[in-house]
Amino acid sequence: MRALRSSPFLRLIIFLNSAQQHKKFLKSTTTSKVESPLHFQPSKMKPSTLTTFLVSTALTQAQYFTLISVRSASPIHFGQITASGERLYINRNTASYCPTQVGDACPAGNITTFAGGSGSLAMGVIVPGGQQVYIDPVCGAVGYTQAHSAAMPQGAIAGGWNVSLGDPYGYLSRDGGLVACPAADEEGGYQVFGQVEGVVLSEECLGFTAFAINATGPGAWQYT
């Protein structure tokens, strides 16, 4: 719930500062042969310049949000949906990674954010190529791809997502709905699943509504 307590004014200042840096960067690097920052050649950039480009591009190309599980009178009511082990959980610590060469340019990495929600859904990350969210067709678990790889289980369901953002919150939904089931590993808690035809989930699973809370940018370089 740390994301909900952060100051809207502070988030606005951070966002405006990032946008100003992005504008200055584009002005200093654009030539008559370059019409878009997507035409830049990363191999010819200094590491610090490349990092600034990736961060600012990520900020301007997607709408980011966090997710809260809502089910009254249950253990998952107002729970934070988090990324860990390439799966989604409720109220588990976020697992993320930042390359040493990126350093302070990385987001804190302790909050899980998402992007998209119009058909497909992605993790809110900076890493080139992103990380796609999908439903495992065998067990129904909601997972996300490893950084630098688009590999998913055969038959994975990547579509069917829809987000409607509002103030102070909106909703994320998907075909069939979302449920939280007791996690099978030692950490306990609840794991997020999608209801998939042919997959029978435990009677202990709880259906829930996913509230979408606006975020100012990516939550991590990449989630692990």
Side-chain angles (χ1 to χ4, degrees), residues 29-124:
T29 55
T30 303
T31 68
S32 59
K33 295 183 179 180
V34 179
E35 298 178 354
S36 164
L38 298 180
H39 291 98
F40 293 153
Q41 298 182 37
S43 62
K44 295 184 179 181
M45 292 183 185
K46 294 180 180 179
S48 60
T49 301
L50 176 57
T51 299
T52 301
F53 168 66
L54 291 173
V55 173
S56 58
T57 299
L59 284 169
T60 58
Q61 289 188 340
Q63 173 64 60
Y64 298 93
F65 51 91
T66 59
L67 292 174
I68 302 293
S69 59
V70 177
R71 179 175 172 128
S72 299
S74 77
I76 63 170
H77 192 47
F78 289 144
Q80 191 85 41
I81 297 180
T82 58
S84 180
E86 297 175 18
R87 291 288 187 265
L88 296 185
Y89 293 87
I90 296 177
N91 287 338
R92 184 169 290 193
N93 290 335
T94 293
S96 64
Y97 169 76
C98 173
T100 55
Q101 63 268 31
V102 177
D104 293 340
C106 273
N110 58 353
I111 294 174
T112 301
T113 63
F114 300 84
S118 180
S120 63
L121 182 67
M123 305 305 294

Side-chain angles (χ1 to χ4, degrees), residues 115-139:
S118 180
S120 63
L121 182 67
M123 305 305 294
V125 294
I126 300 173
V127 64
Q131 292 181 272
Q132 185 77 31
V133 177
Y134 64 86
I135 308 292
D136 189 313
V138 176
C139 65

